[in-house]
Amino acid sequence: MTDKIIEAVLKAVDDSFGVKTQISLVKADPKFGDYATNVAFQVAKDIGKSPPETAEAVIAKLDLGDAGSAEQKGGFINIKLSDSALASELNQATLLPKIGEHKLALVEFGDANPFKDMHIGHLYNTIVGDGISGLFEAYGFSVKRLSYHGDVGLHVAKWIYGVGSEIDFDPTKFTEALSSGGDDPLGYFYARGEKAYTESDEAASKIKEINKHIYAQDDPKINEIYRLGKETSFEQFDKIFALLGVHYNKRYLESETASIGKKLVEENIGKVFEKSQGAVIYEGEAEGLHTRVFITSNDLPTYETKDLGFAVAKDKDYPNAQKSIIITANEQSDYFAVMLAALSKIKPNLAKVTVHLGHGFLSLKAGKMSSREGNVYTAQTLIDEVKKAVETLYPDSPAKHDIYISALRYELMKHKLGSDIVFDINESISLEGNSGPYILYAHARARSILKKSDKQPSPQNKFEPAERRLAIAICGFRQAADEAFEGLKPHTICNYLFGLAGEFNSFYETNRVIGDDREEIRLKLISAYAEILKTGLGALNIPAPEKM
RNA sequence: GCGCCCGUAGUUCAGGGGAUAGAACGUCGGCUUGCGGAGCCGAAGGUCGCAGGUUCGAUUCCUGCCGGGCGUACCA
C-alpha cells in the first residue's frame, strides 16, 4: 500500500514540475495523518516555490484513488489512508514477501572454541546468529546454520599443557583430572596453561612443542588427551545449544579447513600474498587495511588462512548460496575486512556474497553474579541464573521454559548490533518494561481474549479513531521487519513489537471488546495484533506460548 | 601513532537531515466494583560530549578536538 502511495506522489511531483526524485513515507504524528512525506522540501528550492506552495501543487495533481487522501501542513504532505485501504492492509499485515524463496543463506555463528569456556559473549553471538537465521527464514530463505570451531592452535596446546602437567600426560588419568578442575574443568586447565605460557619461558616452549604435535598428530598420548578434551567440550556446547533450542546444520573444524586454506594461500604467493620475514602475509595497506600473517614462519596456517579454507569448504557443501553471513564480536571487524579482501582476489564470487556482522561486548549488570571475581561468566552460568530467576518470579506458569528463553533472546536482540550492551537479569525477566516476558504476556493476553469471545473476528470498512490508530500500528510490522531484514537489525522488530504492545494496552484500557457493539471488528484487530506479535517473535526465533 | 566503532534523561537504551528529541527502569501524583491491573493517564528529569562547517533546516552529514571501546605481523 505504501508503495502505491509513494508511486502516486512521485507521479504527481513529476506531473507538476517535471522533477524525478525519490522519497520515503514516514509514519506521521497521528494528529497530522497516517503517513507523511517531505518531498515538497526536497524540490521546493529547485522550482522556486515555498514548500507549502509546492506541497499544494503536488496534492492538486495527486491521485491516490481509493487509497486515501492528502493534505498539506507546513510543507509536509500528510496522507490519511482510507478505511477500506486500511482494512485490506490489516488483512495482510502479517505477510512478509518471500523474496528468499528457492534461495540459500548460510549463517555462521556460535563459534566457541573447544578447550575453552563458552562464555556469555558466545551466548550473545549464538542468539544473534539464530535470530538472523530466523529472519532470513521468515523471508523465505532456506537457511543453513553453521558453526566453526578452533580445534587446533595455540589455545589447545595451552589447555593440553594445563591438564597434561597435572596428570603427567597420562590419558588414563583424564577423567580424574576433570573432576579436580571444579565445575568448570575446561576453563580451569586453559587458565593454568595460559598462566604458565606467560610466566615461564620453559613452559612456553613446551606448549609450542605440543602445538606442533597437535598439528602433526604424531604423539599418541597427546592425541588421546586431545580427543578426550574435544569430546568433553562439544558435549558441553551441545547441551547449551539444546537448552537454547538452536539447531545447527553442520559443524566445521579448523583442523579440517587448515589444509584447504594453506594450499590456497601457497598457490597464490606472489599473486595475492607475499613472503616476508619467513611468513606469508597479505598486505592490505593499499586498500586502507592492514597487513596480516596467513602462514607463520613456523609454516603453520593462521586463523585467516583457515577462514579462507572454510569459505571454500562451505561452498563445496552448500554451493551457490546467495548470502553467507558470518557473525562475530566486532573486535574482529578489521580482521574480516582483510580476510575478505584476500578472498575477493582468490574467489571473488564467494567474497561477494559474504558479509561479516559484528556485535558488541556483553557485560552483566553488577549484582550477585559479580561475586565470582576474576572469572569470565560462562554461558551456562547466565542461563542458569535467568532460569532460576524465572522460576522464582513465575512459580505457577505453564510456560517457564518459553519465558526464560524469551527473556534471554529478547534481551540480547533488543539492542542495535555493534554497541556494547549490559545485561540486567531482573530487567530481562520482568513483565514491566521492554522485555521478552512483557511481549509474551501481551500475546498470551490477546489470545485469552480471543478465546473468551464466542464471536468470530470480522473485518469492517469503517474504523473508530482508536481502532484505526491500532490498525495503523499493526500495519507497521512490514516496515519494521523489512528494516530488520535488509539492514540485519533484529532490534527493529523488538522495538516495534514493544511499541505495538503499548498501543494495544492503551486501546484496550478504554475500549471494551467482549459484549461491545463493535466486538467483531475489535476481535479482528486483536487477532491481527496477536498474529503480529507471534510472527515478529517467531522471525527472531523467540517462542510465543498461548498461555503463561 | 594510525584505523574502525561509540558518546542522547539519574540508569539502560531507541531515533539518525524536517513538525514539540522518544521509550523503559527509577522517582512523584492520579485512575481501577469489567474482557489477564503483570495495566492505563500524568509530572519531574536533556545545551543529544565540545567547537566550527555544509544546509531553508543539524541531535542526525563533514572537519577538528575531548572522552571511551576495539583493532593494528606470526593468538582466535
Side-chain angles (χ1 to χ4, degrees):
Chain A
M1 185 60 71
T2 53
D3 296 349
K4 270 170 67 184
I5 294 171
I6 289 174
E7 205 177 300
V9 171
L10 290 178
K11 184 170 183 301
V13 172
D14 193 11
D15 289 352
S16 310
F17 309 113
V19 175
K20 296 203 189 303
T21 182
Q22 284 197 322
I23 60 164
S24 60
L25 214 52
V26 300
K27 244 175 87 182
D29 189 311
K31 72 179 173 228
F32 296 129
D34 299 326
Y35 301 101
T37 171
N38 62 0
V39 67
F41 289 90
Q42 286 178 37
V43 301
K45 203 183 171 190
D46 290 340
I47 59 173
K49 288 186 175 190
S50 73
E53 283 172 332
T54 310
E56 292 290 0
V58 171
I59 289 169
K61 294 266 184 184
L62 181 59
D63 177 15
L64 290 174
D66 57 5
S69 57
E71 54 183 34
Q72 181 278 134
K73 187 160 173 71
F76 290 93
I77 296 174
N78 295 311
I79 289 158
K80 189 176 175 187
L81 231 49
S82 68
D83 280 0
S84 62
L86 187 55
S88 87
E89 277 288 271
L90 196 59
N91 276 324
Q92 38 187 328
T94 57
L95 298 179
L96 296 176
K98 298 292 173 198
I99 61 177
E101 212 151 39
H102 310 302
K103 290 184 185 169
L104 177 65
L106 309 179
V107 185
E108 177 207 333
F109 61 93
D111 300 347
N113 283 340
F115 306 98
K116 273 179 146 177
D117 284 320
M118 186 170 182
H119 56 76
I120 53 174
H122 294 120
L123 178 67
Y124 181 29
N125 183 275
T126 300
I127 283 168
V128 168
D130 198 49
I132 294 282
S133 300
L135 208 44
F136 272 74
E137 284 168 337
Y139 278 83
F141 277 85
S142 164
V143 173
K144 299 296 174 190
R145 290 168 172 79
L146 312 175
S147 69
Y148 182 48
H149 307 268
D151 62 332
V152 285
L154 208 54
H155 69 280
V156 181
K158 287 173 184 171
W159 184 87
I160 288 183
Y161 179 87
V163 67
S165 58
E166 174 138 329
I167 61 174
D168 201 23
F169 294 91
D170 179 357
T172 61
K173 294 182 188 159
F174 181 82
T175 313
E176 191 187 331
L178 271 192
S179 52
S180 74
D183 60 351
D184 178 23
L186 293 171
Y188 174 76
F189 289 117
Y190 176 76
R192 275 178 61 127
E194 172 70 30
K195 192 160 179 268
Y197 186 81
T198 50
E199 286 178 359
S200 150
D201 289 346
E202 198 188 321
S205 60
K206 174 80 182 163
I207 287 168
K208 282 177 189 160
E209 199 185 305
I210 292 172
N211 197 23
K212 281 189 188 169
H213 289 305
I214 294 169
Y215 276 94
Q217 298 180 27
D218 58 358
D219 183 318
K221 283 183 176 177
I222 289 179
N223 287 351
E224 184 59 7
I225 295 173
Y226 175 87
R227 190 185 67 78
L228 291 167
K230 191 154 140 183
E231 215 166 71
T232 309
S233 294
F234 282 123
E235 274 168 18
Q236 289 204 0
F237 294 171
D238 287 339
K239 213 172 89 192
I240 290 171
F241 293 142
L243 268 177
L244 297 172
V246 174
H247 304 289
Y248 279 104
N249 294 90
K250 186 158 177 156
R251 167 175 288 157
Y252 289 84
L253 301 172
E254 283 184 13
S255 57
E256 303 160 347
T257 62
S259 61
I260 307 172
K262 192 154 179 254
K263 187 157 170 275
L264 215 53
V265 172
E266 281 164 350
E267 283 167 1
N268 285 283
I269 293 174
K271 288 180 258 179
V272 178
F273 303 98
E274 303 302 326
K275 283 201 158 180
S276 168
Q277 298 171 34
V280 180
I281 62 166
Y282 179 85
E283 291 179 318
E285 277 74 9
E287 300 151 277
L289 305 170
H290 60 268
T291 292
R292 295 195 72 97
V293 170
F294 278 66
I295 298 176
T296 71
S297 47
N298 294 330
D299 200 35
L300 292 178
T302 58
Y303 184 41
E304 17 288 84
T305 288
K306 295 166 190 165
D307 252 332
L308 292 177
F310 182 30
V312 172
K314 279 193 274 197
D315 186 52
K316 192 176 163 219
D317 291 338
Y318 304 107
N320 302 318
Q322 266 77 15
K323 200 94 176 171
S324 179
I325 301 171
I326 301 170
I327 298 164
T328 74
N330 54 19
E331 64 199 13
Q332 292 186 25
S333 296
D334 290 350
Y335 156 78
F336 270 102
V338 177
M339 197 282 287
L340 288 173
L343 184 64
S344 72
K345 291 188 182 164
I346 303 169
K347 302 270 181 187
N349 53 328
L350 294 185
K352 215 162 54 194
V353 297
T354 306
V355 182
H356 172 252
L357 188 59
H359 61 248
F361 182 80
L362 175 67
S363 58
L364 295 174
K365 182 162 180 175
K368 56 183 169 182
M369 284 188 68
S370 63
S371 59
R372 282 179 51 179
E373 213 169 324
N375 272 338
V376 179
Y377 290 106
T378 63
Q380 185 71 56
T381 310
L382 179 57
I383 292 171
D384 289 345
E385 291 285 338
V386 172
K387 194 175 174 181
K388 207 167 69 192
V390 165
E391 272 158 11
T392 310
L393 194 62
Y394 306 88
D396 304 320
S397 172
K400 288 197 200 75
H401 180 266
D402 284 351
I403 294 172
Y404 89 81
I405 292 299
S406 80
L408 266 170
R409 285 183 177 255
Y410 189 92
E411 192 67 17
L412 293 176
M413 281 191 283
K414 77 178 189 187
H415 300 113
K416 153 176 80 180
L417 291 178
S419 38
D420 295 344
I421 63 175
V422 179
F423 193 104
D424 182 336
I425 292 177
N426 290 329
E427 197 177 296
S428 78
I429 63 158
S430 171
L431 269 160
E432 291 163 20
N434 191 0
S435 74
Y438 174 87
I439 308 288
L440 256 50
Y441 176 76
H443 174 259
R445 187 186 190 197
R447 293 293 183 200
S448 153
I449 298 161
L450 291 169
K451 208 171 279 180
K452 196 152 193 162
S453 169
D454 48 15
K455 297 211 165 112
Q456 286 304 306
S458 159
Q460 210 171 316
N461 276 355
K462 197 146 168 48
F463 294 94
E464 287 185 350
E467 291 165 357
R468 78 171 285 119
R469 197 185 147 99
L470 180 57
I472 291 280
I474 289 169
C475 293
F477 175 64
R478 170 68 192 280
Q479 201 186 335
D482 283 355
E483 202 182 327
F485 170 70
E486 285 159 13
L488 299 178
K489 299 193 291 189
H491 79 284
T492 58
I493 289 184
C494 294
N495 287 340
Y496 163 76
L497 293 178
F498 180 59
L500 177 64
E503 284 289 346
F504 177 79
N505 285 333
S506 187
F507 170 84
Y508 193 61
E509 188 71 15
T510 47
N511 294 280
R512 191 168 173 82
V513 176
I514 294 172
D516 192 270
D517 287 350
R518 302 185 60 77
E519 181 166 346
E520 284 94 341
I521 171 66
R522 289 180 181 173
L523 287 173
K524 172 72 188 172
L525 285 168
I526 294 175
S527 135
Y529 162 69
E531 275 308 302
I532 293 285
L533 290 178
K534 194 183 174 84
T535 307
L537 290 169
L540 300 176
N541 269 321
I542 299 174
E546 300 283 310
K547 282 184 185 171
M548 67 180 277

